[in-house]
Amino acid sequence: ARWMIDLGVSIEDAKNYLPSSVKNVVVTCPDCGAEKEYVLNNIYTNKSIGCICSDGKSYPEKFITKLLLLLGIKFKAQLSKATFNWCESKKYDFYIPNINAIIEAHGEQHYEEHGVNSKFKTLEEEQENDRFKEELALANGIDKYIIIDCRYSNVEWIKNSILNSKLNEMFDLSNIDWTECG
């Protein structure tokens, strides 16, 4: 599948593995240069590497991705059963292996009730799911579970949420160009 190389799969990986392989490979986005681990079969099926610079990612996820890249932190986006079986059907926004931490960017639906015709769960269902995901992660050996309040998708709100989170204790954020994150 030559077209997968155009999405950022290396020529070597394209030669060594079939597109249906469940092998995790590092892909480099041809648009922004970000590196990400991805299962080859998922790239083949989705016709995308799901890079942060593409549509389909929320503003808070793009913001936090850029922050982690600026800090030089290796991470996995969209942690799922493909990474750890214990995830079951749940997905987590970010996983930082070297400190065994999960970061969740919680949007408005985690804090405020939406109308009956909303595409979101009820507030109670959303918060119960949040509790379950955190308990599941901690029960399976995750050391740190960090929730960033991203109910408003703007630079100042997310910046302040990050500065008031455990991330500020764990990493030196003093030289971050927050406008670049935004």
Side-chain angles (χ1 to χ4, degrees):
R2 167 75 180 90
W3 58 266
M4 290 174 66
I5 295 170
D6 296 336
L7 291 179
V9 174
S10 73
I11 293 172
E12 184 178 317
D13 285 338
K15 287 180 182 176
N16 291 331
Y17 306 105
L18 292 172
S20 60
S21 172
V22 293
K23 170 82 174 145
N24 265 337
V25 296
V26 175
V27 295
T28 304
C29 177
D31 297 321
C32 71
E35 289 187 352
K36 177 181 177 181
E37 258 191 53
Y38 216 91
V39 176
L40 277 171
N41 184 44
N42 290 346
I43 297 170
Y44 185 76
T45 302
N46 298 329
K47 308 291 188 263
S48 169
I49 61 170
C51 186
I52 198 68
C53 72
S54 66
D55 290 337
K57 297 288 181 193
S58 71
Y59 177 81
E61 287 182 62
K62 290 179 182 182
F63 191 102
I64 293 170
T65 295
K66 187 62 177 181
L67 171 68
L68 296 174
L69 290 171
L70 288 172
L71 290 168
I73 296 169
K74 292 200 181 280
F75 65 94
K76 292 182 182 188
Q78 295 300 308
L79 180 71
S80 68
K81 189 175 182 176
T83 310
F84 293 124
N85 280 333
W86 61 258
C87 290
E88 301 173 9
S89 63
K90 303 300 179 190
K91 290 189 178 173
Y92 297 85
D93 295 332
F94 302 95
Y95 174 63
I96 305 174
N98 70 335
I99 59 170
N100 195 29
I102 284 178
I103 301 171
E104 287 281 273
H106 281 187
E108 180 182 29
Q109 74 277 14
H110 296 267
Y111 302 100
E112 298 173 20
E113 190 68 65
H114 290 269
V116 176
N117 296 325
S118 170
K119 66 179 180 176
F120 298 113
K121 302 170 187 161
T122 67
L123 180 60
E124 184 179 324
E125 291 169 334
E126 194 71 54
Q127 291 177 343
E128 179 57 35
N129 184 60
D130 293 341
R131 281 189 290 278
F132 177 79
K133 284 175 63 177
E134 182 172 2
E135 289 170 8
L136 180 64
L138 295 173
N140 283 282
I142 296 299
D143 294 329
K144 297 165 193 71
Y145 196 90
I146 302 159
I147 297 169
I148 306 298
D149 179 345
C150 298
R151 72 181 84 191
Y152 303 112
S153 290
N154 67 60
V155 173
E156 282 306 308
W157 182 270
I158 298 174
K159 169 190 166 185
N160 288 329
S161 293
I162 290 169
L163 291 174
N164 290 311
S165 76
K166 293 178 186 173
L167 287 179
N168 197 22
E169 300 167 16
M170 298 163 54
F171 303 106
D172 179 7
L173 305 178
S174 62
N175 293 319
I176 293 299
D177 180 349
W178 296 102
T179 349
E180 190 173 344
C181 291

mmCIF file of all heavy atoms in Angstrom, residues 24-48:
data_model
loop_
_atom_site.group_PDB
_atom_site.id
_atom_site.type_symbol
_atom_site.label_atom_id
_atom_site.label_comp_id
_atom_site.label_asym_id
_atom_site.label_seq_id
_atom_site.Cartn_x
_atom_site.Cartn_y
_atom_site.Cartn_z
ATOM 1 N N ASN A 24 2.859 -2.043 15.849
ATOM 2 C CA ASN A 24 2.962 -0.611 16.134
ATOM 3 C C ASN A 24 4.205 -0.075 15.437
ATOM 4 O O ASN A 24 5.291 -0.633 15.587
ATOM 5 C CB ASN A 24 3.122 -0.371 17.644
ATOM 6 C CG ASN A 24 1.819 -0.080 18.327
ATOM 7 O OD1 ASN A 24 0.869 0.360 17.708
ATOM 8 N ND2 ASN A 24 1.769 -0.322 19.617
ATOM 9 N N VAL A 25 4.031 0.989 14.674
ATOM 10 C CA VAL A 25 5.167 1.632 14.014
ATOM 11 C C VAL A 25 5.130 3.122 14.332
ATOM 12 O O VAL A 25 4.084 3.671 14.658
ATOM 13 C CB VAL A 25 5.146 1.430 12.474
ATOM 14 C CG1 VAL A 25 5.295 -0.043 12.117
ATOM 15 C CG2 VAL A 25 3.903 2.014 11.854
ATOM 16 N N VAL A 26 6.278 3.752 14.233
ATOM 17 C CA VAL A 26 6.341 5.198 14.418
ATOM 18 C C VAL A 26 6.128 5.835 13.055
ATOM 19 O O VAL A 26 6.817 5.501 12.091
ATOM 20 C CB VAL A 26 7.699 5.633 15.019
ATOM 21 C CG1 VAL A 26 7.792 7.146 15.075
ATOM 22 C CG2 VAL A 26 7.881 5.032 16.411
ATOM 23 N N VAL A 27 5.136 6.731 12.982
ATOM 24 C CA VAL A 27 4.870 7.452 11.742
ATOM 25 C C VAL A 27 5.196 8.924 11.964
ATOM 26 O O VAL A 27 5.096 9.429 13.072
ATOM 27 C CB VAL A 27 3.406 7.286 11.268
ATOM 28 C CG1 VAL A 27 3.129 5.849 10.905
ATOM 29 C CG2 VAL A 27 2.430 7.769 12.300
ATOM 30 N N THR A 28 5.614 9.582 10.909
ATOM 31 C CA THR A 28 5.927 11.006 10.959
ATOM 32 C C THR A 28 4.957 11.739 10.055
ATOM 33 O O THR A 28 4.895 11.467 8.855
ATOM 34 C CB THR A 28 7.382 11.261 10.493
ATOM 35 O OG1 THR A 28 8.257 10.477 11.293
ATOM 36 C CG2 THR A 28 7.736 12.730 10.627
ATOM 37 N N CYS A 29 4.193 12.645 10.634
ATOM 38 C CA CYS A 29 3.205 13.384 9.856
ATOM 39 C C CYS A 29 3.909 14.188 8.767
ATOM 40 O O CYS A 29 4.824 14.961 9.058
ATOM 41 C CB CYS A 29 2.400 14.315 10.755
ATOM 42 S SG CYS A 29 1.209 15.329 9.839
ATOM 43 N N PRO A 30 3.488 14.025 7.516
ATOM 44 C CA PRO A 30 4.113 14.780 6.430
ATOM 45 C C PRO A 30 3.770 16.272 6.473
ATOM 46 O O PRO A 30 4.453 17.076 5.849
ATOM 47 C CB PRO A 30 3.552 14.125 5.168
ATOM 48 C CG PRO A 30 2.279 13.486 5.598
ATOM 49 C CD PRO A 30 2.462 13.106 7.044
ATOM 50 N N ASP A 31 2.734 16.647 7.214
ATOM 51 C CA ASP A 31 2.325 18.047 7.280
ATOM 52 C C ASP A 31 3.023 18.828 8.388
ATOM 53 O O ASP A 31 3.497 19.931 8.168
ATOM 54 C CB ASP A 31 0.805 18.155 7.455
ATOM 55 C CG ASP A 31 0.062 17.566 6.268
ATOM 56 O OD1 ASP A 31 0.522 17.756 5.123
ATOM 57 O OD2 ASP A 31 -0.964 16.914 6.485
ATOM 58 N N CYS A 32 3.072 18.241 9.610
ATOM 59 C CA CYS A 32 3.621 19.007 10.735
ATOM 60 C C CYS A 32 4.895 18.407 11.317
ATOM 61 O O CYS A 32 5.545 19.020 12.150
ATOM 62 C CB CYS A 32 2.569 19.172 11.842
ATOM 63 S SG CYS A 32 2.209 17.644 12.734
ATOM 64 N N GLY A 33 5.248 17.170 10.922
ATOM 65 C CA GLY A 33 6.467 16.546 11.409
ATOM 66 C C GLY A 33 6.342 15.840 12.744
ATOM 67 O O GLY A 33 7.308 15.277 13.251
ATOM 68 N N ALA A 34 5.141 15.833 13.340
ATOM 69 C CA ALA A 34 4.948 15.153 14.627
ATOM 70 C C ALA A 34 5.097 13.648 14.437
ATOM 71 O O ALA A 34 4.689 13.092 13.419
ATOM 72 C CB ALA A 34 3.578 15.482 15.194
ATOM 73 N N GLU A 35 5.700 13.003 15.422
ATOM 74 C CA GLU A 35 5.848 11.553 15.397
ATOM 75 C C GLU A 35 4.823 10.928 16.325
ATOM 76 O O GLU A 35 4.518 11.479 17.386
ATOM 77 C CB GLU A 35 7.256 11.145 15.826
ATOM 78 C CG GLU A 35 8.305 11.477 14.801
ATOM 79 C CD GLU A 35 9.673 10.913 15.166
ATOM 80 O OE1 GLU A 35 9.842 10.396 16.282
ATOM 81 O OE2 GLU A 35 10.571 11.008 14.316
ATOM 82 N N LYS A 36 4.313 9.766 15.916
ATOM 83 C CA LYS A 36 3.276 9.094 16.690
ATOM 84 C C LYS A 36 3.369 7.602 16.429
ATOM 85 O O LYS A 36 3.651 7.188 15.315
ATOM 86 C CB LYS A 36 1.909 9.626 16.261
ATOM 87 C CG LYS A 36 0.735 8.988 16.925
ATOM 88 C CD LYS A 36 -0.564 9.592 16.406
ATOM 89 C CE LYS A 36 -1.747 8.894 17.019
ATOM 90 N NZ LYS A 36 -3.019 9.424 16.529
ATOM 91 N N GLU A 37 3.148 6.802 17.459
ATOM 92 C CA GLU A 37 3.064 5.358 17.270
ATOM 93 C C GLU A 37 1.663 5.015 16.821
ATOM 94 O O GLU A 37 0.688 5.546 17.352
ATOM 95 C CB GLU A 37 3.367 4.629 18.589
ATOM 96 C CG GLU A 37 4.750 4.070 18.639
ATOM 97 C CD GLU A 37 4.951 3.141 19.811
ATOM 98 O OE1 GLU A 37 4.164 2.197 19.997
ATOM 99 O OE2 GLU A 37 5.923 3.389 20.540
ATOM 100 N N TYR A 38 1.564 4.155 15.848
ATOM 101 C CA TYR A 38 0.264 3.803 15.301
ATOM 102 C C TYR A 38 0.303 2.364 14.816
ATOM 103 O O TYR A 38 1.337 1.894 14.344
ATOM 104 C CB TYR A 38 -0.055 4.734 14.121
ATOM 105 C CG TYR A 38 -1.501 5.104 14.004
ATOM 106 C CD1 TYR A 38 -2.015 6.229 14.616
ATOM 107 C CD2 TYR A 38 -2.372 4.320 13.254
ATOM 108 C CE1 TYR A 38 -3.347 6.576 14.487
ATOM 109 C CE2 TYR A 38 -3.701 4.645 13.112
ATOM 110 C CZ TYR A 38 -4.185 5.771 13.728
ATOM 111 O OH TYR A 38 -5.504 6.108 13.605
ATOM 112 N N VAL A 39 -0.816 1.654 14.903
ATOM 113 C CA VAL A 39 -0.922 0.287 14.396
ATOM 114 C C VAL A 39 -1.147 0.362 12.881
ATOM 115 O O VAL A 39 -2.035 1.075 12.418
ATOM 116 C CB VAL A 39 -2.090 -0.461 15.083
ATOM 117 C CG1 VAL A 39 -2.259 -1.851 14.487
ATOM 118 C CG2 VAL A 39 -1.857 -0.538 16.586
ATOM 119 N N LEU A 40 -0.326 -0.354 12.122
ATOM 120 C CA LEU A 40 -0.410 -0.298 10.660
ATOM 121 C C LEU A 40 -1.821 -0.578 10.142
ATOM 122 O O LEU A 40 -2.316 0.128 9.265
ATOM 123 C CB LEU A 40 0.579 -1.289 10.036
ATOM 124 C CG LEU A 40 2.002 -0.796 9.896
ATOM 125 C CD1 LEU A 40 2.930 -1.917 9.471
ATOM 126 C CD2 LEU A 40 2.088 0.357 8.927
ATOM 127 N N ASN A 41 -2.466 -1.590 10.688
ATOM 128 C CA ASN A 41 -3.807 -1.929 10.230
ATOM 129 C C ASN A 41 -4.782 -0.768 10.438
ATOM 130 O O ASN A 41 -5.675 -0.554 9.626
ATOM 131 C CB ASN A 41 -4.317 -3.182 10.942
ATOM 132 C CG ASN A 41 -5.659 -3.632 10.422
ATOM 133 O OD1 ASN A 41 -5.900 -3.664 9.221
ATOM 134 N ND2 ASN A 41 -6.542 -3.967 11.329
ATOM 135 N N ASN A 42 -4.604 -0.005 11.513
ATOM 136 C CA ASN A 42 -5.477 1.152 11.751
ATOM 137 C C ASN A 42 -5.263 2.237 10.696
ATOM 138 O O ASN A 42 -6.213 2.881 10.256
ATOM 139 C CB ASN A 42 -5.263 1.727 13.148
ATOM 140 C CG ASN A 42 -5.779 0.806 14.231
ATOM 141 O OD1 ASN A 42 -6.518 -0.126 13.969
ATOM 142 N ND2 ASN A 42 -5.372 1.062 15.460
ATOM 143 N N ILE A 43 -4.021 2.433 10.297
ATOM 144 C CA ILE A 43 -3.728 3.408 9.239
ATOM 145 C C ILE A 43 -4.395 2.945 7.950
ATOM 146 O O ILE A 43 -5.054 3.731 7.263
ATOM 147 C CB ILE A 43 -2.206 3.574 9.024
ATOM 148 C CG1 ILE A 43 -1.542 4.126 10.289
ATOM 149 C CG2 ILE A 43 -1.921 4.474 7.820
ATOM 150 C CD1 ILE A 43 -0.024 4.091 10.248
ATOM 151 N N TYR A 44 -4.232 1.678 7.642
ATOM 152 C CA TYR A 44 -4.795 1.122 6.416
ATOM 153 C C TYR A 44 -6.323 1.233 6.416
ATOM 154 O O TYR A 44 -6.930 1.647 5.431
ATOM 155 C CB TYR A 44 -4.364 -0.345 6.268
ATOM 156 C CG TYR A 44 -4.789 -0.970 4.970
ATOM 157 C CD1 TYR A 44 -4.120 -0.677 3.791
ATOM 158 C CD2 TYR A 44 -5.854 -1.853 4.927
ATOM 159 C CE1 TYR A 44 -4.499 -1.241 2.588
ATOM 160 C CE2 TYR A 44 -6.248 -2.434 3.729
ATOM 161 C CZ TYR A 44 -5.567 -2.126 2.559
ATOM 162 O OH TYR A 44 -5.941 -2.685 1.375
ATOM 163 N N THR A 45 -6.943 0.884 7.542
ATOM 164 C CA THR A 45 -8.402 0.909 7.646
ATOM 165 C C THR A 45 -8.960 2.328 7.636
ATOM 166 O O THR A 45 -9.935 2.625 6.946
ATOM 167 C CB THR A 45 -8.850 0.196 8.937
ATOM 168 O OG1 THR A 45 -8.357 -1.149 8.901
ATOM 169 C CG2 THR A 45 -10.359 0.170 9.068
ATOM 170 N N ASN A 46 -8.327 3.232 8.413
ATOM 171 C CA ASN A 46 -8.833 4.607 8.563
ATOM 172 C C ASN A 46 -8.367 5.541 7.455
ATOM 173 O O ASN A 46 -8.845 6.674 7.361
ATOM 174 C CB ASN A 46 -8.423 5.184 9.911
ATOM 175 C CG ASN A 46 -9.000 4.403 11.060
ATOM 176 O OD1 ASN A 46 -10.072 3.834 10.951
ATOM 177 N ND2 ASN A 46 -8.284 4.362 12.176
ATOM 178 N N LYS A 47 -7.372 5.104 6.677
ATOM 179 C CA LYS A 47 -6.787 5.944 5.617
ATOM 180 C C LYS A 47 -6.248 7.255 6.191
ATOM 181 O O LYS A 47 -6.298 8.302 5.567
ATOM 182 C CB LYS A 47 -7.805 6.253 4.508
ATOM 183 C CG LYS A 47 -8.511 5.050 3.931
ATOM 184 C CD LYS A 47 -7.598 4.171 3.137
ATOM 185 C CE LYS A 47 -8.327 3.075 2.392
ATOM 186 N NZ LYS A 47 -8.361 1.792 3.060
ATOM 187 N N SER A 48 -5.731 7.173 7.437
ATOM 188 C CA SER A 48 -5.253 8.368 8.141
ATOM 189 C C SER A 48 -4.335 7.952 9.280
ATOM 190 O O SER A 48 -4.466 6.855 9.817
ATOM 191 C CB SER A 48 -6.456 9.129 8.715
ATOM 192 O OG SER A 48 -6.028 10.133 9.605
#
